Amino acid sequence: MGTRWTACYIEVAEDEACENDTVARVDENDSKNDEPDQGWTQWSNLPDHILERIFSHLTIKERYYASLTCYGWYRAFYLPHVWSNFLVEDATLGRMRYNYYSGWQPVLDHSRLQSCLLSVGHLIRGLDFRPQVSFNNMFQFMSLISWAMEQNARTSGCPREWVGCGSRIRSLNYLFPCNMALSEDPESIKLFGTGGQLLAALKRLMLCLTNLQSLSLVDLILERYEANHLLDEVLESCCLVLRRLCLVNVTSHHCPIMHIGLFLNLQVLEVSPQNVDDDVLTLLADSKVKHLTLLQNRYTPPALAISPCSAKAWLTVRRDNPKLRVHLRVESTTNAVILLQPEAPVASMIYQTPKTMITSDQLVAAVDAYKYTLTVYGHEQLTVGVESPIDGEFQERPDSLLVLMARSCPGLNALMVRECISTATILLIAKSAQNLRHLYINRAQVKLGCDWPRSPDWTDEFYGWLQTTSGSLEATEREVSRILDHPYWHLLSVEQFQMASLMRHVAF
């Protein structure tokens, strides 16, 4: 009796196809003759919690193909954590269709979308909309899933196959591509806001999400009359259950959003400064909000064009809501600065801008305003298009400003420095800051040695220690590690500095 052979086919892309068009043949009896010490792994027998994490990082298409390999992976396709976040982009569940003006464009395939929602619609816990060009696809997706949830809300007559669709959704993220400028010029900005039928579909969807706990709406750039009624449906459907709310650039001009102070159990709020005023702060003073982030991005008006809230309003907030912590953050590709809020209980100031440098006016103003509340400060990302010479003069560097902050802010816990400073400055920062535990320094911008003029308060022993220790990077790292009580502290390489983030120290 002859040996039985089976063909094993592997789907590959055309550009990854092998030069020889050979089909691999596998002898089923070979597996019985394998030596026991060859160490074959059983991928099909991975634990469910590991398969969930692996499948959650795959696209819908990749999850489907993986589910065809074996029964274990087919079962993993329906595990709840796999569908904790459903990302909707232009080409999600779509097919390509030729347009005479734009060429091939992705078009939503209604049969695929319906099949997907019927299969896993009851498992989806989060929706993440990120349209790029095909806004019509987003509109149709929102309309269909809203219709399915409306059928479930009916007291009777809901189609059996749609039962439970969307019932587990707890988070909704919507990022609108408001910049319609040409991609050839990354610095150009041409803003267009959402609205019309797409905004109506979004509001219809938010009305159906009665168990929503986290909502994020970014860069909508609405008109004033649209912004004033943006959260009407959300307030009606989940006034008591919403915990996290992110509203970034609801408008491009001053327009307070009063709704944000009416959610009774809201704990984390992220909003742009042009959408907050004294009246909003009065509502937040009587709320349960614990963390308020005032975020400025590249589409937010410049700080000089926005008026901060009054000191009187912030004092009322500090009196009536003493647990509230304010976080100031700016994300931009330009030389953007943070809008300071007088008398606000600011706990963190984070610059995510590659062109903003430390200046005496900004840092001294921040220290004077928030020296008793500030715990996190730093500039993330490497500098781009800005000269920061490693051998610059001491007066031109921010060494003395950073030491001033370390001495003046007793609660400072995390500090990130990307500009050129000396090893002596690093030692002085670690020695001066009382509660500093996390210090991030870019090794490429560290200047070796002590170029500080001697202070009258320094003893001979201290000044000698400073000069000797700052003479080498290894000695500096050992001393800072000892002072911070961090046995593995070290200066960061360029790659490590790019991966570091202060957001992990802002506890939400």
Side-chain angles (χ1 to χ4, degrees):
M1 185 174 181
T3 304
R4 186 157 58 93
W5 300 83
T6 58
C8 177
Y9 298 96
I10 302 177
E11 181 181 356
V12 295
E14 293 182 0
D15 56 348
E16 298 177 356
C18 300
E19 296 181 359
N20 53 344
D21 190 16
T22 305
V23 178
R25 298 181 178 275
V26 181
D27 188 355
E28 291 184 348
N29 296 326
D30 287 346
S31 61
K32 299 180 180 180
N33 299 327
D34 289 337
E35 296 182 3
D37 57 347
Q38 285 185 335
W40 300 106
T41 56
Q42 299 293 329
W43 287 93
S44 59
N45 296 328
L46 285 175
D48 287 353
H49 66 280
I50 296 180
L51 282 176
E52 278 187 318
R53 291 191 173 246
I54 294 176
F55 271 62
S56 64
H57 292 285
L58 303 180
T59 63
I60 299 177
K61 183 178 180 180
E62 292 169 344
R63 292 174 191 173
Y64 172 72
Y65 284 149
S67 68
L68 301 179
T69 57
C70 63
Y71 176 76
W73 285 19
Y74 168 78
R75 189 174 54 83
F77 182 83
Y78 294 97
L79 293 176
H81 186 74
V82 173
W83 302 98
S84 59
N85 187 59
F86 194 95
L87 179 61
V88 183
E89 297 178 309
D90 285 356
T92 301
L93 298 173
R95 54 184 175 83
M96 300 305 293
R97 181 176 180 180
Y98 186 77
N99 186 296
Y100 286 104
Y101 299 97
S102 305
W104 291 98
Q105 296 293 321
V107 178
L108 186 66
D109 192 326
H110 293 82
S111 61
R112 289 184 180 179
L113 174 58
Q114 181 176 354
S115 177
C116 177
L117 293 181
L118 289 174
S119 301
V120 298
H122 63 287
L123 299 176
I124 298 176
R125 296 178 179 271
L127 286 175
D128 193 351
F129 292 97
R130 299 189 182 182
Q132 297 173 353
V133 178
S134 303
F135 299 139
N136 186 53
N137 292 356
M138 299 294 113
F139 170 77
Q140 296 182 30
F141 189 102
M142 292 180 185
S143 300
L144 181 56
I145 194 171
S146 299
W147 174 86
M149 287 187 287
E150 289 170 352
Q151 300 305 308
N152 281 271
R154 294 166 54 183
T155 56
S156 61
C158 176
R160 180 179 178 182
E161 60 273 14
W162 289 104
V163 173
C165 182
S167 60
R168 296 188 179 183
I169 295 178
R170 299 294 184 270
S171 67
L172 173 63
N173 301 322
Y174 184 84
L175 173 62
F176 185 75
C178 61
N179 188 9
M180 302 297 176
L182 298 177
S183 58
E184 290 80 4
D185 186 7
E187 297 296 331
S188 61
I189 296 179
K190 190 176 182 181
L191 295 182
F192 284 88
T194 186
Q197 294 298 319
L198 186 58
L199 179 60
L202 176 62
K203 297 178 69 174
R204 177 187 177 188
L205 175 61
M206 292 189 296
L207 180 62
C208 298
L209 299 175
T210 57
N211 295 318
L212 198 63
Q213 297 182 2
S214 176
L215 174 63
S216 176
L217 304 175
V218 180
D219 295 336
L220 298 187
I221 313 294
L222 301 176
E223 296 294 337
R224 187 184 299 272
Y225 68 92
E226 294 174 323
N228 289 332
H229 300 281
L230 173 64
L231 299 179
D232 287 349
E233 288 76 13
V234 183
L235 194 61
E236 177 182 350
S237 60
C238 49
C239 174
L240 300 177
V241 297
L242 194 67
R243 298 292 189 273
R244 304 174 65 94
L245 177 61
C246 175
L247 297 176
V248 179
N249 295 334
V250 174
T251 62
S252 59
H253 50 269
H254 178 72
C255 180
I257 308 298
M258 304 299 295
H259 291 73
I260 61 181
L262 302 178
F263 294 96
L264 301 183
N265 292 304
L266 190 66
Q267 297 180 358
V268 178
L269 174 61
E270 189 171 342
V271 65
S272 296
Q274 73 269 21
N275 298 131
V276 179
D277 67 351
D278 292 356
D279 293 333
V280 176
L281 289 183
T282 302
L283 294 175
L284 295 178
D286 296 326
S287 68
K288 296 183 180 180
V289 176
K290 298 297 186 295
H291 295 277
L292 170 62
T293 300
L294 298 179
L295 173 62
Q296 305 165 235
N297 65 10
R298 61 178 303 196
Y299 307 124
T300 305
L304 295 177
I306 311 174
S307 299
C309 299
S310 67
K312 181 179 179 181
W314 283 115
L315 289 174
T316 302
V317 172
R318 299 181 68 164
R319 182 194 64 196
D320 298 339
N321 191 356
K323 295 183 179 180
L324 177 68
R325 294 294 176 264
V326 179
H327 309 279
L328 306 181
R329 191 165 89 247
V330 58
E331 302 172 354
S332 179
T333 58
T334 61
N335 185 16
V337 297
I338 287 179
L339 175 66
L340 299 181
Q341 301 285 341
E343 299 296 337
V346 173
S348 67
M349 296 181 62
I350 301 177
Y351 289 82
Q352 296 175 337
T353 56
K355 294 184 179 180
T356 303
M357 309 298 288
I358 297 177
T359 62
S360 58
D361 294 340
Q362 297 173 16
L363 194 138
V364 171
V367 170
D368 290 340
Y370 314 126
K371 58 183 176 182
Y372 297 117
T373 59
L374 192 65
T375 59
V376 178
Y377 181 89
H379 290 246
E380 299 181 356
Q381 303 180 5
L382 298 177
T383 57
V384 176
V386 180
E387 293 186 1
S388 180
I390 190 67
D391 54 352
E393 296 294 333
F394 178 80
Q395 294 77 8
E396 300 174 356
R397 304 199 312 260
D399 297 57
S400 57
L401 295 174
L402 293 171
V403 173
L404 172 65
M405 170 173 281
R407 291 174 176 173
S408 304
C409 301
L412 190 64
N413 178 265
L415 176 64
M416 177 175 285
V417 182
R418 70 177 179 195
E419 298 184 36
C420 176
I421 58 175
S422 66
T423 50
T425 302
I426 299 175
L427 293 169
L428 290 175
I429 291 175
K431 200 74 173 178
S432 303
Q434 302 176 16
N435 295 292
L436 187 64
R437 293 296 176 268
H438 308 280
L439 180 60
Y440 303 90
I441 305 292
N442 183 11
R443 179 190 292 267
Q445 292 292 325
V446 173
K447 181 179 179 180
L448 198 62
C450 177
D451 48 6
W452 276 76
R454 180 171 178 175
S455 172
D457 299 332
W458 294 348
T459 63
D460 294 339
E461 180 182 0
F462 179 82
Y463 190 59
W465 167 83
L466 184 64
Q467 287 183 314
T468 303
T469 309
S470 63
S472 69
L473 295 178
E474 293 76 12
T476 301
E477 289 181 334
R478 285 196 302 269
E479 280 299 309
V480 174
S481 176
R482 180 186 63 82
I483 296 173
L484 300 183
D485 194 18
H486 195 310
Y488 302 105
W489 187 91
H490 61 277
L491 300 172
L492 303 181
S493 63
V494 173
E495 293 77 12
Q496 292 172 332
F497 190 86
Q498 287 178 322
M499 295 176 60
S501 176
L502 291 174
M503 293 301 298
R504 61 189 293 263
H505 303 295
V506 182
F508 284 171

